[in-house]
Amino acid sequence: MEEKSFKEVNKELNLIMTGDWSIENDDANRVVEFIKYYNNNIDELDEGVEFEFLELVISSMNEAILENKVDNEMTFLFKEFIYPHLSNELALHFQTIIYWDAIADQEEFPVGFLIREMLGDD
């Protein structure tokens, strides 16, 4: 099976290719869509795309919190999406999660507090 590259994912999700892909494409209105896409395509995603997708979802969730667009479904799906990446401290994904925890801030990075809660560091 051929893996999906950024080019294919960008086309399917109408995203742009940039040097800061996950941040430039974050969207408070698409958190659930991004998580569902990831879950439905995880076995087909190129490793680089998979890594950046975690950042895309976290950054989009951060925007959703800032814009007061979070609902119960979004929170549930986000936690369900993040939890598997918390189990392996050596994984690259875990380092991304720790980064967001470390920059937690009510004004700019409130998603860090949600991640902190999930890590049990609150």
Side-chain angles (χ1 to χ4, degrees), residues 3 11-12 33 43 49 52 65 90 94 101 105 111:
E3 294 182 331
K11 184 176 181 182
E12 290 176 4
E33 176 190 355
D43 294 332
V49 175
E52 287 293 322
I65 294 168
L90 300 176
F94 187 76
D101 172 41
D105 174 79
V111 74

Side-chain angles (χ1 to χ4, degrees), residues 54-111:
L54 178 74
E55 189 84 37
L56 174 67
V57 170
I58 294 172
S59 184
S60 295
M61 185 66 168
N62 190 68
E63 292 304 311
I65 294 168
L66 288 170
E67 296 174 21
N68 293 316
K69 294 183 176 181
V70 177
D71 60 20
N72 289 338
E73 177 193 20
M74 186 184 298
T75 302
F76 176 80
L77 287 173
F78 179 78
K79 287 181 175 183
E80 188 177 65
F81 174 77
I82 295 294
Y83 273 125
H85 303 294
L86 299 179
S87 63
N88 185 353
E89 293 186 17
L90 300 176
L92 289 175
H93 293 303
F94 187 76
Q95 297 306 314
T96 301
I97 290 165
I98 293 301
Y99 167 78
W100 282 92
D101 172 41
I103 64 169
D105 174 79
Q106 290 293 4
E107 299 294 316
E108 292 185 70
F109 306 113
V111 74

